[in-house]
Amino acid sequence: QKEVEQNSGPLSVPEGAIASLNCTYSDRVSQSFFWYRQYSGKSPELIMSIYSNGDKEDGRFTAQLNKASQYVSLLIRDSQPSDSATYLCAVIYSGNTPLVFGKGTRLSVIA
Amino acid sequence: DAGVIQSPRHEVTEMGQEVTLRCKPISGHNSLFWYRQTMMRGLELLIYFNNNVPIDDSGMPEDRFSAKMPNASFSTLKIQPSEPRDSAVYFCASSPTTGDQPQHFGDGTRLSIL
């Protein structure tokens, strides 16, 4: 059973702080990793993708991948109240199979 | 570019009625996915298609659920007869291919079965 695990939260951080969201997955052969943001009542929106070990930065967002430890994380620097949402981690375990989603971590940025 | 288009956005109907949800994927995307999202179970994959062919429908909860993709630009998810426990948000998503590519989601259909 392919699984993606996330802490459901809520994770509360003050405005301006770094928010750290973590995700673990169950299969070492996983290839592709994605972070989606979902505002309440809206659809998931892709914000980051990462395919190789290390860090990938895009604006205030940094995705970190460690395949040996089977975890992927998302750091949000200078958190803003507008970052308050549920963040979904998604993994493609092998080519030509669909994404497996975690249940998401709810982030609340307090002004 | 137009994204994934779903209709209707909201549907309220009585138990026992047939419900049909519609989806138009992004042009050029060969893979289409139907999801159901609830607070308890999160985002569940119901079925997905590659090049209009159903590949895996193991997530379809019961025979009351069926999905079709008659052409590359249209898919339907049908529930007949509907039950209150089918109430959820149903998302359609598409991607260029299945592997290594993220999916892009439509706005969803919020379904309430009374």
Side-chain angles (χ1 to χ4, degrees):
Chain A
Q1 180 84 5
K2 309 294 188 187
E3 292 186 345
V4 177
E5 299 287 340
Q6 295 182 256
N7 188 320
S8 63
L11 172 66
S12 294
V13 300
E15 183 176 359
I18 296 175
S20 178
L21 305 162
N22 299 312
C23 169
T24 58
Y25 56 94
S26 60
D27 195 322
R28 285 182 177 272
V29 301
S30 303
Q31 299 177 341
S32 309
F33 308 85
F34 308 93
W35 284 99
Y36 285 77
R37 177 178 61 199
Q38 187 175 23
Y39 291 114
S40 180
K42 301 295 186 182
S43 61
E45 172 194 12
L46 178 70
I47 55 172
M48 288 288 284
S49 59
I50 186 166
Y51 301 93
S52 55
N53 278 328
D55 295 0
K56 179 182 178 182
E57 188 173 315
D58 183 0
R60 294 187 296 111
F61 298 99
T62 299
Q64 299 175 319
L65 175 60
N66 184 324
K67 290 189 177 183
S69 301
Q70 295 175 224
Y71 82 79
V72 57
S73 62
L74 179 69
L75 302 179
I76 306 175
R77 289 182 301 282
D78 188 24
S79 296
Q80 302 297 310
S82 59
D83 295 325
S84 298
T86 295
Y87 289 80
L88 300 166
C89 174
V91 177
I92 292 180
Y93 277 97
S94 61
N96 229 34
T97 61
L99 293 174
V100 178
F101 282 88
K103 286 187 166 51
T105 298
R106 189 154 55 92
L107 172 67
S108 178
V109 180
I110 311 299
Chain B
D1 288 342
V4 176
I5 299 172
Q6 291 187 246
S7 64
R9 290 294 308 277
H10 302 275
E11 175 89 9
V12 180
T13 192
E14 292 188 347
M15 173 179 173
Q17 297 299 305
E18 178 179 293
V19 173
T20 299
L21 311 182
R22 296 173 176 80
C23 175
K24 176 179 169 57
I26 293 172
S27 178
H29 281 193
N30 295 325
S31 298
L32 182 141
F33 309 83
W34 282 101
Y35 289 90
R36 178 173 67 177
Q37 188 175 42
T38 60
M39 288 292 293
M40 290 297 295
R41 301 172 70 93
L43 200 59
E44 300 175 276
L45 177 65
L46 301 177
I47 185 172
Y48 75 97
F49 297 82
N50 276 350
N51 296 315
N52 314 337
V53 176
I55 302 301
D56 184 355
D57 66 354
S58 59
M60 297 284 259
E62 298 170 36
D63 291 346
R64 299 183 295 107
F65 285 70
S66 62
K68 293 182 180 180
M69 191 166 186
N71 57 61
S73 58
F74 184 66
S75 177
T76 59
L77 178 67
K78 189 171 292 188
I79 308 173
Q80 167 63 21
S82 57
E83 297 184 4
R85 60 194 167 120
D86 302 330
S87 298
V89 180
Y90 290 80
F91 288 107
C92 177
S94 70
S95 67
T97 59
T98 303
D100 289 345
Q101 297 290 326
Q103 298 165 15
H104 299 271
F105 284 77
D107 289 336
T109 295
R110 185 171 296 275
L111 177 64
S112 296
I113 308 297
L114 307 178

